[in-house]
Amino acid sequence: MASIMTNAESTESDARLAVSRMLTEDLYRMQCLAALKSQQLPQGYLAAGFLRNAIWDELHGFKKPTPLNDIDVIYYNPSDTSKESELHIENALSAQVPSAHWQVKNQARMHVKHGHNAYKDCEEAISYWIEQETCVAIRLCPNEEGDKFDMLAPYGLSRNFAGTISINPRYPRGDVFTQRVHSKNWLVTWPQLTLGSALVGSIWGSRDFPL
């Protein structure tokens, strides 16, 4: 696996600098980030695979980015939790970047789906997602010019550079984790990733796992 940071440099600040460099060089992701910024959403970020996959591509030394099946947009607006508003935002983003499959979710309503107390912000909301490496989000700083980034990573961005897929202990759902590893083919697309040791047997032992 390619490494973009030495062990001595593997700190959270170095991880964020590496992400800034990677994203700045990715014209498609920058286009998507600019489109999001133009919408001026409260706590609007591009989350999950948008950032996670870019890091995994970098770790594997891929010359071209792995195509994104969708682009997860999160924001936080407790005063309007209607799905109609989310659809309106999706349509606006699609008008700017038609090639992207936008999926917009207001995190001020997502606690209901999981039976949690209301989340106080986007960072708390994503801290409950299935894999720790998926609990990441990024945006262009809303009040600054140029390519300055604001990132959310409740478990640290440096975890993503470790090349692991880890179940989230804050809200562990082993069956959902296993299903996602199977259906998303992460270990096929990025074969040098490793699973948490407690999960290796259950994942690799399945007859249905694609080889």
Side-chain angles (χ1 to χ4, degrees):
M1 180 180 295
S3 175
I4 62 175
M5 296 185 294
T6 67
N7 290 335
E9 295 173 330
S10 296
T11 65
E12 189 63 18
S13 61
D14 291 315
R16 289 171 183 262
L17 286 172
V19 165
S20 296
R21 190 262 306 162
M22 289 162 43
L23 270 290
T24 301
E25 294 174 354
D26 189 321
L27 297 181
Y28 178 68
R29 281 181 165 85
M30 289 302 297
Q31 182 184 15
C32 293
L33 285 163
L36 175 70
K37 183 177 182 178
S38 74
Q39 297 300 308
Q40 299 182 323
L41 300 178
Q43 296 184 43
Y45 291 86
L46 301 185
F50 182 85
L51 179 51
R52 179 201 62 212
N53 293 8
I55 295 172
W56 287 350
D57 282 350
E58 182 78 6
L59 292 175
H60 282 70
F62 292 168
K63 299 301 182 183
K64 294 183 178 180
T66 301
L68 292 164
N69 295 324
D70 49 52
I71 296 181
D72 293 302
V73 178
I74 61 172
Y75 69 105
Y76 190 85
N77 184 4
S79 65
D80 180 3
T81 57
S82 67
K83 293 185 179 180
E84 290 76 14
S85 292
E86 296 174 357
L87 181 59
H88 176 77
I89 296 166
E90 286 181 4
N91 290 336
L93 289 167
S94 294
Q96 292 183 265
V97 189
S99 60
H101 181 208
W102 299 95
Q103 293 192 338
V104 178
K105 293 289 186 294
N106 183 357
Q107 299 304 299
R109 71 172 181 84
M110 296 307 293
H111 65 285
V112 177
K113 178 180 179 181
H114 302 298
H116 297 158
N117 294 326
Y119 304 134
K120 66 178 185 293
D121 53 26
C122 277
E123 185 161 27
E124 181 181 22
I126 70 172
S127 74
Y128 287 94
W129 288 358
I130 302 298
E131 309 85 22
Q132 287 182 303
E133 293 79 8
T134 300
C135 302
V136 292
I138 190 168
R139 66 177 175 176
L140 292 171
C141 291
N143 299 319
E144 296 189 40
E145 298 295 329
D147 299 337
K148 294 185 178 180
F149 300 99
D150 175 33
M151 306 175 204
L152 300 179
Y155 301 106
L157 269 180
S158 56
R159 170 176 291 278
N160 290 67
F161 286 94
T164 57
I165 312 175
S166 312
I167 198 166
N168 187 347
R170 184 171 192 181
Y171 189 34
R173 288 172 284 173
D175 55 339
V176 179
F177 178 93
T178 300
Q179 185 273 331
R180 282 168 58 83
V181 173
H182 279 260
S183 64
K184 293 179 179 294
N185 283 348
W186 286 329
L187 298 178
V188 175
T189 304
W190 298 280
Q192 296 179 62
L193 295 177
T194 59
L195 295 171
S197 58
L199 298 157
V200 172
S202 62
I203 300 293
W204 287 104
S206 170
R207 293 178 300 172
D208 297 326
F209 189 81
L211 298 175

